[in-house]
Amino acid sequence: GEKARVLSIFFKKEFAAAVFNDMLADQGAMIADPFTNEKGAPEFFQTLNYIDPQLQAQLSGLVSSFQDQGFQQDAMDERLVFLLRHLVLTQQSELIRKTRVHAIKPATKSEIFKRLCAAKDILHSNYRDKIDLDTLSHMTCLSVPQLIRQFKAVFHDTPHRYLTRVRLRQAAELLKHKDMPVHEIAWQCGFENASAFSRAFKAEYAKAPQQVRGLR
């Protein structure tokens, strides 16, 4: 029920290709021909990622610059270069995950990885609800055994365990920043009761929920 601010950033294809080429091309070759983008624009997988401190700082700086100085093309482009470089590095970690998919053909690896990313995003988007493996299987067009096996290979967690960690992470944030009762936090984060939540929380963080709240 709370308001949320949404920030959408779009990069021109030529701009993205130039940044991508700068990251991957041989610097000697770039000195000889700085205006040829041989690598093309980077391809991103559609998936959710947490905002790390470095990315948060870059986004905050971008917004502050726009609010304080208005739109200045050169100033924006300078900030967007470093922002896109960070996003490309994040994407490279996704490419490493893709190699963990158990498949021989590259096209098959890519397709399965896209479906696993969809499964991960569904778990993030529906952590408050009861979502079982059969539902997740049908939504991602992967059999239950294939979903469990490939998900574990790529993300080093089974879907159920991953969902539990998503719920616990969200609960930890609520404990730090909200004054809601523990049982209400447990319910909002998809746990059936406060006792089950407390056991899972202590197993994950080695602290009781009340102890995390006391650290504020």
Side-chain angles (χ1 to χ4, degrees), residues 43-92:
E43 178 187 3
F44 290 91
F45 292 103
Q46 184 174 338
T47 185
L48 296 171
N49 287 291
Y50 287 110
I51 298 180
D52 58 58
Q54 183 180 350
L55 180 57
Q56 181 64 60
Q58 291 185 4
L59 292 173
S60 298
L62 184 69
V63 172
S64 297
S65 176
F66 181 77
Q67 291 176 337
D68 297 341
Q69 303 172 20
F71 179 76
Q72 297 182 15
Q73 186 71 58
D74 290 344
M76 288 293 105
D77 283 352
E78 288 175 355
R79 290 185 175 275
L80 289 175
V81 164
F82 293 103
L83 176 60
L84 184 53
R85 285 179 63 90
H86 184 84
L87 295 177
V88 170
L89 291 174
T90 301
Q91 170 66 0
Q92 287 178 336

Side-chain angles (χ1 to χ4, degrees), residues 141-184:
C141 295
L142 293 169
S143 69
V144 171
Q146 186 181 28
L147 171 65
I148 296 172
R149 176 172 54 85
Q150 297 282 20
F151 198 99
K152 177 70 181 296
V154 171
F155 300 115
H156 299 311
D157 248 337
T158 63
H160 175 74
R161 181 58 188 160
Y162 188 91
L163 175 60
T164 300
R165 288 186 168 173
V166 170
R167 288 171 169 169
L168 290 172
R169 181 169 182 159
Q170 180 64 20
E173 289 298 311
L174 291 176
L175 286 166
K176 291 176 183 177
H177 302 294
K178 301 290 184 180
D179 290 322
M180 299 162 54
V182 171
H183 71 273
E184 186 174 343

